[in-house]
């Protein structure tokens, strides 16, 4: 599937080209990356901040963008403007590095208007119906009166969707604010065509098997896979409302694309005036996805909140007959919570879903009711979240048609345990 070439103004993308550049670099631009763990790492996310590079080099050449390389080969890379001030802040790339191995990378600098292009392995798409077409937006603000919307009324895939070469996800921005899952059988980027007919109309064409995969998760009135809520009077309260209600409980919902590139993509959801009855709070959620992973990462922050507020992150349990499992990290900094069963649509395939989170915020877990007007059919992980402090948690999904190893629960547990160790002990940069 050929992907439409869309480059975010916030990302500068580079390409893999054979070249010789002997003598264009010196040791002052070298960085040593070390994997101190006992785990081999493939497509390990690495970030070099602008401050790190500036400190190393004293200054960055005007109008130049760094590209890391090993030997004579560029590493797939992007320079991201995270704070959206017009200047890149982070150099993001992935690296394969064995247990106990160190790799030395160097930087070369290219003109901004001469960046080449890597294979696109991440993608964000928020398609909005406008007239006779469906067009992607990079920013959109919605009021409470605009939500909810009827199915196929305005938004492709019901809201923003994101993918990499392994897996895809989507957010119901139409008021439900749950999280759904796309199982992928192809590494190609697919979201440009998902939910759009050949005539350019919005259509549900993703609940059947297509060359790239399909929607595999029944969400219902749960929080879905990694969706957010808050505990109120001992019960989970949805960020948003059910589709059968008349008005959203959030004053404004804002979507912003931060960056989109070959190795990672990031967008932000800002919920202002989340009405809890006795007060209103705000929530910011930054969502990122890296190439080569079966996961995405969330950073969440509350403002105008109360010291007693407890954030809820959900795992849907509509088609799950097995109890959830908690894995406590050996590093004592992170833990994981996961389920595994034939928990796809109509219990057709095996699927593992999991969360990895910091222990310091974790308060325990419980189960939502099976029915009712509130949040249902969800395993709920509970987190303490202080005012203006970020919580970072990671969401994982392993479908047996993406990789047959995920058919076995022991394999999925081992996979989550390995990812837990990676997160607890990342590759060091010197």
């Amino acid at each position: 599937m050929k992907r439409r070439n869309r480059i975010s103004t916030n990302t500068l993308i580079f390409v893999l080209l054979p070249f010789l550049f002997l003598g264009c670099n010196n040791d002052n631009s070298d960085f040593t990356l070390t994997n101190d763990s006992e785990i081999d790492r493939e497509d390990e996310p690495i970030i070099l901040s602008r401050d790190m590079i500036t400190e190393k080099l004293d200054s960055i050449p005007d109008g130049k963008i760094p590209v890391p390389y090993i030997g004579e080969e560029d590493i797939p890379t992007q320079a991201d403007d995270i704070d959206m001030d017009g200047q890149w802040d982070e150099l993001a790339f992935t690296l394969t590095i064995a247990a106990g191995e160190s790799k030395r990378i160097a930087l070369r600098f290219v003109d901004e208007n001469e960046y080449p292009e890597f294979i696109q392995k991440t993608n964000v798409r928020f398609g909005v119906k406008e007239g006779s077409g469906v067009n992607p937006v990079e920013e959109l603000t919605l009021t409470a009166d605009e939500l909810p919307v009827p199915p196929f009324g305005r938004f492709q895939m019901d809201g923003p969707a994101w993918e990499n070469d392994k897996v895809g996800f989507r957010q119901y921005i139409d008021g439900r604010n749950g999280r759904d899952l796309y199982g992928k059988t192809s590494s190609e980027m697919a979201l440009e065509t998902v939910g759009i007919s050949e005539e350019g109309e919005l259509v549900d064409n993703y609940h059947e098997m297509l060359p790239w995969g399909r929607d595999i998760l029944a969400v219902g009135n749960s929080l879905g896979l990694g969706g957010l809520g808050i505990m109120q009077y001992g019960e989970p309260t949805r960020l948003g409302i059910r589709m059968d209600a008349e008005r959203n409980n959030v004053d404004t919902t804002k979507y912003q694309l931060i960056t989109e590139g070959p190795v990672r993509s990031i967008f932000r959801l800002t919920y202002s005036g989340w009405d809890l009855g006795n007060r209103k709070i705000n929530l910011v959620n930054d969502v990122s996805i890296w190439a080569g992973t079966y996961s995405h990462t969330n950073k969440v922050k509350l403002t105008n909140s109360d010291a007693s507020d407890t954030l809820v992150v959900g795992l849907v349990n509509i088609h799950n007959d097995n109890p959830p499992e908690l894995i406590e990290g050996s590093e004592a900094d992170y833990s994981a919570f996961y389920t595994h069963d034939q928990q796809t649509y109509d219990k057709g395939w095996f699927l593992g879903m999991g969360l990895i989170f910091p222990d310091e915020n974790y308060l325990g877990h419980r189960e939502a009711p099976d029915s009712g007007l509130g949040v249902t059919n969800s395993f709920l992980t509970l987190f303490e979240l202080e005012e203006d402090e970020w919580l970072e948690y990671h969401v994982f999904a392993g479908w047996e048609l993406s990789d047959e190893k995920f058919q076995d629960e022991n394999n999925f547990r081992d996979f989550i345990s390995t990812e837990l160790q990676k997160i607890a002990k990342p590759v060091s940069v010197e």
Side-chain angles (χ1 to χ4, degrees):
M1 181 180 298
K2 186 175 181 181
R3 181 184 185 279
R4 181 174 60 85
N5 185 20
R6 173 162 60 92
I7 300 176
S8 166
T9 55
N10 296 323
T11 303
L12 298 170
I13 305 177
F14 308 94
V15 90
L16 184 62
L17 292 174
F19 60 88
L20 295 176
F21 43 82
L22 298 176
C24 71
N25 183 72
N26 57 52
D27 289 346
N28 290 336
S29 65
D30 288 354
F31 290 85
T32 300
L33 309 179
T34 302
N35 177 9
D36 286 323
S37 73
E38 298 178 354
I39 299 170
D40 295 335
R41 300 170 188 242
E42 184 176 357
D43 291 323
E44 178 74 8
I46 305 292
I47 295 174
L48 298 182
S49 69
R50 188 183 186 96
D51 289 342
M52 292 171 65
I53 297 172
T54 302
E55 182 179 354
K56 183 85 170 172
L57 300 180
D58 295 330
S59 65
I60 295 174
D62 291 339
K64 301 286 186 179
I65 308 297
V67 183
Y69 66 90
I70 296 176
E72 296 180 358
E73 186 173 282
D74 281 348
I75 300 171
T77 308
Q78 63 192 68
D80 292 334
D81 180 10
I82 301 299
D83 59 12
M84 294 179 283
D85 66 352
Q87 177 176 269
W88 66 270
D89 308 296
E90 295 180 351
L91 196 65
F93 56 96
T94 62
L95 194 69
T96 296
I97 184 168
E101 182 182 15
S102 292
K103 285 191 173 181
R104 184 176 176 181
I105 68 165
L107 301 179
R108 68 184 187 96
F109 290 82
V110 301
D111 291 332
E112 291 185 17
N113 60 357
E114 293 180 353
Y115 64 84
E117 188 176 349
F118 288 113
I119 296 173
Q120 195 81 9
K121 292 187 177 181
T122 74
N123 186 23
V124 176
R125 169 89 177 187
F126 187 6
V128 179
K129 176 72 171 176
E130 297 175 335
S132 60
V134 180
N135 299 307
V137 297
E138 295 191 358
E139 186 171 311
L140 184 67
T141 300
L142 302 161
T143 66
D145 292 329
E146 292 180 274
L147 298 173
V149 296
F152 316 120
R154 187 179 181 189
F155 304 132
Q156 178 192 358
M157 299 176 285
D158 299 313
W162 58 107
E163 66 177 330
N164 62 12
D165 50 323
K166 303 291 188 182
V167 67
F169 307 89
R170 64 174 172 143
Q171 167 83 21
Y172 294 113
I173 206 170
D174 52 20
R176 291 170 287 174
N177 286 315
R179 294 278 172 89
D180 207 347
L181 174 64
Y182 289 137
K184 294 189 65 172
T185 57
S186 168
S187 63
E188 298 294 322
M189 300 296 100
L191 295 180
E192 268 60 36
T193 61
V194 175
I196 304 178
S197 70
E198 293 182 358
E199 294 74 28
E201 297 298 322
L202 298 178
V203 62
D204 180 355
N205 65 0
Y206 41 81
H207 286 100
E208 58 187 59
M209 190 67 73
L210 297 170
W212 59 268
R214 58 162 288 174
D215 182 318
I216 60 174
L217 192 63
V219 173
N221 287 314
S222 74
L223 295 178
L225 174 53
L228 295 165
I230 203 166
M231 293 300 293
Q232 190 176 28
Y233 307 116
E235 297 296 331
T237 298
R238 185 181 303 276
L239 174 60
I241 53 172
R242 294 162 54 115
M243 287 294 289
D244 53 7
E246 295 181 355
R247 190 177 189 275
N248 201 1
N249 65 4
V250 179
D251 289 341
T252 60
T253 300
K254 184 176 183 180
Y255 162 84
Q256 292 172 285
L257 178 64
I258 296 177
T259 188
E260 181 186 44
V263 297
R264 76 166 173 179
S265 292
I266 307 172
F267 65 92
R268 171 171 292 175
L269 297 169
T270 303
Y271 302 92
S272 300
W274 181 9
D275 191 351
L276 299 181
N278 58 345
R279 58 197 168 92
K280 291 185 177 182
I281 64 174
N282 307 318
L283 184 144
V284 179
N285 180 196
D286 287 356
V287 181
S288 61
I289 189 167
W290 287 79
T293 70
Y294 287 94
S295 68
H296 70 269
T297 300
N298 291 267
K299 290 178 62 178
V300 180
K301 179 174 66 173
L302 292 176
T303 60
N304 297 334
S305 63
D306 188 270
S308 61
D309 283 336
T310 298
L311 190 74
V312 174
V313 180
L315 280 183
V316 57
N317 68 342
I318 289 177
H319 291 313
N320 179 49
D321 296 325
N322 296 324
E325 299 288 342
L326 179 67
I327 302 175
E328 296 181 342
S330 59
E331 302 294 332
D333 293 326
Y334 291 84
S335 293
F337 184 76
Y338 81 91
T339 61
H340 185 277
D341 201 348
Q342 289 176 293
Q343 50 187 341
T344 57
Y345 266 106
D346 301 321
K347 297 181 71 69
W349 299 282
F350 282 98
L351 170 68
M353 296 184 290
L355 306 173
I356 294 179
F357 45 82
D359 287 340
E360 63 179 345
N361 298 95
Y362 178 57
L363 296 175
H365 68 272
R366 56 176 292 182
E367 190 169 351
D370 291 335
S371 61
L373 297 178
V375 175
T376 63
N377 301 111
S378 299
F379 295 120
L380 308 173
T381 48
L382 310 181
F383 297 98
E384 180 182 34
L385 195 56
E386 296 183 8
E387 170 88 6
D388 279 331
E389 294 291 331
W390 289 100
L391 167 70
E392 183 174 282
Y393 67 93
H394 308 264
V395 178
F396 291 83
W399 183 35
E400 66 167 296
L401 295 193
S402 296
D403 190 322
E404 63 181 10
K405 71 182 179 184
F406 294 131
Q407 185 176 16
D408 184 86
E409 180 180 355
N410 291 327
N411 288 342
F412 186 73
R413 180 187 174 90
D414 290 344
F415 165 76
I416 291 293
S417 295
T418 298
E419 295 301 314
L420 175 61
Q421 294 176 63
K422 289 179 182 178
I423 291 169
K425 194 170 186 179
V427 168
S428 64
V429 180
E430 297 179 6

